[in-house]
Amino acid sequence: MTKTKFKRLPRHIGVIPDGNRRWAQGKGLPKEDGYQNGLDPGMMLYELCVELGIPELTFYGFTQDNTKRPAVQTRAFQRACVDAVDMLANRDASLLVIGDYESPLFPPQLMKYKQRKTFGRDLIKINFLVNYGWKWDLHHFMNEDSTINSGSVKIKRNVFQTIASRDISRIDLIIRWGGRRRLSGFLPVQSIYADFYVVDDLWPDFQREHFYDALNWYENQDITLGG
Amino acid sequence: MTKTKFKRLPRHIGVIPDGNRRWAQGKGLPKEDGYQNGLDPGMMLYELCVELGIPELTFYGFTQDNTKRPAVQTRAFQRACVDAVDMLANRDASLLVIGDYESPLFPPQLMKYKQRKTFGRDLIKINFLVNYGWKWDLHHFMNEDSTINSGSVKIKRNVFQTIASRDISRIDLIIRWGGRRRLSGFLPVQSIYADFYVVDDLWPDFQREHFYDALNWYENQDITLGG
């Protein structure tokens, strides 16, 4: 299956890789063992996106909500995110990590991706949400001056210019693995008009057909942006 | 089918009544004729919610995005929203209409619902989004002082206290008719953790089974609020 199969592709795909803990439990493993099994699916998805020429891909790593879980799980998903970013840094992508950098729960190894860094041939923009919180994202505009100087006058900034995740563009298609039909705080502003596709299989059971099914479904949606 | 059938009900349901124009086209009617056929479904849904004791219900009336459509359609959905609110005002509910009141596209007949008004036995809270815009809603906090006085100190307000739709609570279940799997700007803050159920049938073809199917599905979802 190649690029020619699709008539219309999303420019930006958001990925919610859910179901790692359920997968581990299903194998009789401790819940926290699931996350490392989510690394290969992420790399496979990266490769499929590059092959199709998808310009931007955002992974939902972990959230501030998630860090309320048992410490052994929190350490496991922190570790998995660091590993995933390390793996992608060896490929052809520009990487940006977004989340509450000031919290001790943000892995210090990822601080260097606070500004986007480019690797290899820079074939795709990848955003990784790490210690991300939707409140943290939206509150950002209350912590800043909401006006900008334009010549001699101050003009109001719009919401896209003031949220913490302002460097992440509007999302066309969100694919969530693990069967749940909810956004769970995933980039509320960028997700406003996104089409939302749910894969019932768990993220560590990723298959390329999940992704192609989502793209096939997507190209049959009409895009109105609310109009 | 009665209340006893459900073990766990949502406290707040959001309704996206999509598909009115497609319904009209399917009947060989002009697109704008669809909206009036959405009134009876709305009343049926109101009655089903009251019967089950659902405390709060929010209808997605029309948005600022929608008003970019042809004027004949805009007039038709404005009219349908006024009629819907009038019908509900004859029942047992407290009604609040939320949207950009300052725009000429907001129907003046609905200005009196800018503050919640209670009718009859006040059995359910109903919110109606009319000339609503997600940017209008979120921008609200940039047009106000983001601090509040608490005794002698100023404290930061949180996002829930400063959005325009602050009187609408968190949504548990969103039901969208008409097959599309997207939020289209529907209350981004209140929808953060909502479970999202899609009915393929068009809104004027509403059947009570759609609603019961959504509730059956909902009670089998685990609620984690991101945790």
Side-chain angles (χ1 to χ4, degrees), chain A residues 65-66 69 134 139 141-142 156-159 180-182 184-185 192-196 217 222 226-227, chain B residues 65-66 69 134 139 141-142 156-159 180-182 184-185 192-196 217 222 226-227:
Chain A
D65 288 329
N66 296 154
R69 295 178 188 165
W134 66 272
H139 276 155
F141 44 108
M142 294 172 34
K156 283 274 178 195
R157 288 201 276 206
N158 73 37
V159 58
R180 293 191 176 136
R181 302 193 219 164
R182 58 177 87 135
S184 306
I192 289 281
Y193 300 116
D195 281 297
F196 185 40
W217 172 80
D222 72 320
Chain B
D65 289 329
N66 296 154
R69 295 179 188 164
W134 65 272
H139 276 155
F141 46 103
M142 294 171 36
K156 283 275 179 196
R157 287 202 277 208
N158 72 37
V159 59
R180 292 189 177 137
R181 301 192 219 167
R182 57 178 87 134
S184 306
I192 290 282
Y193 300 116
D195 281 298
F196 185 40
W217 173 79
D222 72 319

Side-chain angles (χ1 to χ4, degrees), chain B residues 127-145:
Chain B
N127 313 302
F128 227 97
L129 306 189
V130 170
N131 201 37
Y132 173 85
W134 65 272
K135 286 183 189 169
W136 168 81
D137 195 359
L138 295 182
H139 276 155
H140 200 76
F141 46 103
M142 294 171 36
N143 299 326
E144 298 201 3
D145 185 6

Side-chain angles (χ1 to χ4, degrees), chain A residues 27-63:
Chain A
K27 302 275 179 196
L29 299 168
K31 283 183 180 178
E32 62 271 18
D33 285 8
Y35 298 110
Q36 284 294 320
N37 290 284
L39 293 173
D40 284 343
M43 292 307 291
M44 283 157 67
L45 187 57
Y46 155 82
E47 281 170 12
L48 295 176
C49 285
V50 166
E51 194 181 298
L52 290 172
I54 307 286
E56 190 168 359
L57 180 62
T58 297
F59 286 102
Y60 210 14
F62 73 88
T63 64

